Amino acid sequence: WCSEVAQRQGVEIDFTSEVSSVLPREIGICFFRVLQEALYNAVKYSGATRIEVKLREDPNEVHLIVHDSGTGFDVEAAMQGHGLGLMSMQERIRLVNGIISIKSKPGGGTTIHARVPFRAEHDS
């Protein structure tokens, strides 16, 4: 998805994955939808030419981190507005018992960090 968006929108998207486990379908779909919204927002609003996307697995969690160095925005004001994108991301992550943080400031870029509980199944 990152390659497709990068090519279509003319931005550089640096994707890295440090996930070796197979994620449950509901987590995979959730992360994909959050990623879609985050990339859409970054391309449409931030003016960023480079976006970093990272998937990371810890012993009890899996993380999706999307960072751009674009124009940034006031998170509280955006949450009070009529846009559904940020609220949609929060709701999706909540449904898989996760937590999302959205950090941004005008002129300082944006980082979206979603964490979802996950315990890999290992063969004994």
Side-chain angles (χ1 to χ4, degrees):
W1 177 252
C2 290
S3 297
E4 187 177 311
V5 170
Q7 189 173 40
R8 192 173 57 235
Q9 299 296 327
V11 296
E12 180 184 344
I13 299 177
D14 180 23
F15 173 79
T16 57
S17 176
E18 299 169 4
V19 175
S20 57
S21 301
V22 175
L23 297 178
R25 182 173 171 82
E26 63 272 10
I27 293 175
I29 290 171
C30 174
F31 274 0
F32 180 68
R33 297 295 184 213
V34 168
L35 175 63
Q36 283 182 310
E37 185 67 32
L39 290 180
Y40 173 80
N41 288 344
V43 167
K44 184 172 181 182
Y45 301 113
S46 81
T49 56
R50 185 168 187 276
I51 303 164
E52 296 174 31
V53 177
K54 185 176 200 174
L55 276 175
R56 186 180 82 224
E57 180 180 354
D58 288 342
N60 297 312
E61 291 182 318
V62 64
H63 303 255
L64 169 66
I65 303 162
V66 181
H67 173 75
D68 72 66
S69 55
T71 57
F73 61 96
D74 181 322
V75 176
E76 286 188 33
M79 295 300 282
Q80 301 301 321
H82 298 290
L84 297 176
L86 298 179
M87 289 189 293
S88 170
M89 286 191 278
Q90 288 181 319
E91 182 62 16
R92 286 182 186 281
I93 294 297
R94 188 189 66 76
L95 289 172
V96 290
N97 300 311
I99 298 169
I100 190 168
S101 68
I102 302 167
K103 294 183 179 171
S104 187
K105 62 181 178 182
T110 301
T111 300
I112 295 169
H113 183 173
R115 299 186 326 252
V116 175
F118 171 71
R119 188 170 209 95
E121 300 291 325
H122 295 289
D123 295 334
S124 307

